[in-house]
PDB file of all heavy atoms in Angstrom:
ATOM      1  N   PRO O1096       3.684 -13.462  -7.125  1.00 91.00           N
ATOM      2  CA  PRO O1096       2.698 -14.246  -6.377  1.00 91.00           C
ATOM      3  C   PRO O1096       2.929 -14.257  -4.869  1.00 91.00           C
ATOM      4  O   PRO O1096       2.012 -14.549  -4.117  1.00 91.00           O
ATOM      5  CB  PRO O1096       2.835 -15.658  -6.953  1.00 91.00           C
ATOM      6  CG  PRO O1096       3.697 -15.559  -8.146  1.00 91.00           C
ATOM      7  CD  PRO O1096       4.398 -14.244  -8.116  1.00 91.00           C
ATOM      8  N   LEU O1097       4.137 -13.943  -4.419  1.00 88.00           N
ATOM      9  CA  LEU O1097       4.421 -13.897  -2.987  1.00 88.00           C
ATOM     10  C   LEU O1097       4.022 -12.557  -2.359  1.00 88.00           C
ATOM     11  O   LEU O1097       4.081 -12.408  -1.141  1.00 88.00           O
ATOM     12  CB  LEU O1097       5.912 -14.151  -2.732  1.00 88.00           C
ATOM     13  CG  LEU O1097       6.446 -15.499  -3.197  1.00 88.00           C
ATOM     14  CD1 LEU O1097       7.947 -15.583  -2.967  1.00 88.00           C
ATOM     15  CD2 LEU O1097       5.715 -16.633  -2.498  1.00 88.00           C
ATOM     16  N   HIS O1125       7.595  -9.717   1.787  1.00 57.00           N
ATOM     17  CA  HIS O1125       7.754 -10.910   0.977  1.00 57.00           C
ATOM     18  C   HIS O1125       9.219 -11.057   0.573  1.00 57.00           C
ATOM     19  O   HIS O1125      10.007 -10.119   0.653  1.00 57.00           O
ATOM     20  CB  HIS O1125       6.845 -10.840  -0.259  1.00 57.00           C
ATOM     21  CG  HIS O1125       7.102  -9.626  -1.099  1.00 57.00           C
ATOM     22  ND1 HIS O1125       8.124  -9.546  -2.014  1.00 57.00           N
ATOM     23  CD2 HIS O1125       6.463  -8.434  -1.143  1.00 57.00           C
ATOM     24  CE1 HIS O1125       8.107  -8.362  -2.581  1.00 57.00           C
ATOM     25  NE2 HIS O1125       7.110  -7.661  -2.076  1.00 57.00           N
ATOM     26  N   PHE O1133       9.901   6.127   3.786  1.00 88.00           N
ATOM     27  CA  PHE O1133       9.107   7.298   3.446  1.00 88.00           C
ATOM     28  C   PHE O1133       9.159   8.299   4.591  1.00 88.00           C
ATOM     29  O   PHE O1133       9.317   7.906   5.749  1.00 88.00           O
ATOM     30  CB  PHE O1133       7.648   6.895   3.209  1.00 88.00           C
ATOM     31  CG  PHE O1133       7.451   5.975   2.042  1.00 88.00           C
ATOM     32  CD1 PHE O1133       7.329   4.613   2.216  1.00 88.00           C
ATOM     33  CD2 PHE O1133       7.383   6.480   0.750  1.00 88.00           C
ATOM     34  CE1 PHE O1133       7.139   3.763   1.137  1.00 88.00           C
ATOM     35  CE2 PHE O1133       7.193   5.648  -0.335  1.00 88.00           C
ATOM     36  CZ  PHE O1133       7.079   4.288  -0.142  1.00 88.00           C
ATOM     37  N   LEU O1145      -4.345   3.029   1.497  1.00 95.00           N
ATOM     38  CA  LEU O1145      -4.625   1.646   1.858  1.00 95.00           C
ATOM     39  C   LEU O1145      -5.967   1.518   2.572  1.00 95.00           C
ATOM     40  O   LEU O1145      -6.694   0.542   2.359  1.00 95.00           O
ATOM     41  CB  LEU O1145      -3.506   1.089   2.746  1.00 95.00           C
ATOM     42  CG  LEU O1145      -2.143   0.908   2.075  1.00 95.00           C
ATOM     43  CD1 LEU O1145      -1.120   0.466   3.108  1.00 95.00           C
ATOM     44  CD2 LEU O1145      -2.217  -0.054   0.927  1.00 95.00           C
TER      45      LEU O1145
END
Side-chain angles (χ1 to χ4, degrees):
L1097 299 176
H1125 57 82
F1133 296 98
L1145 292 175

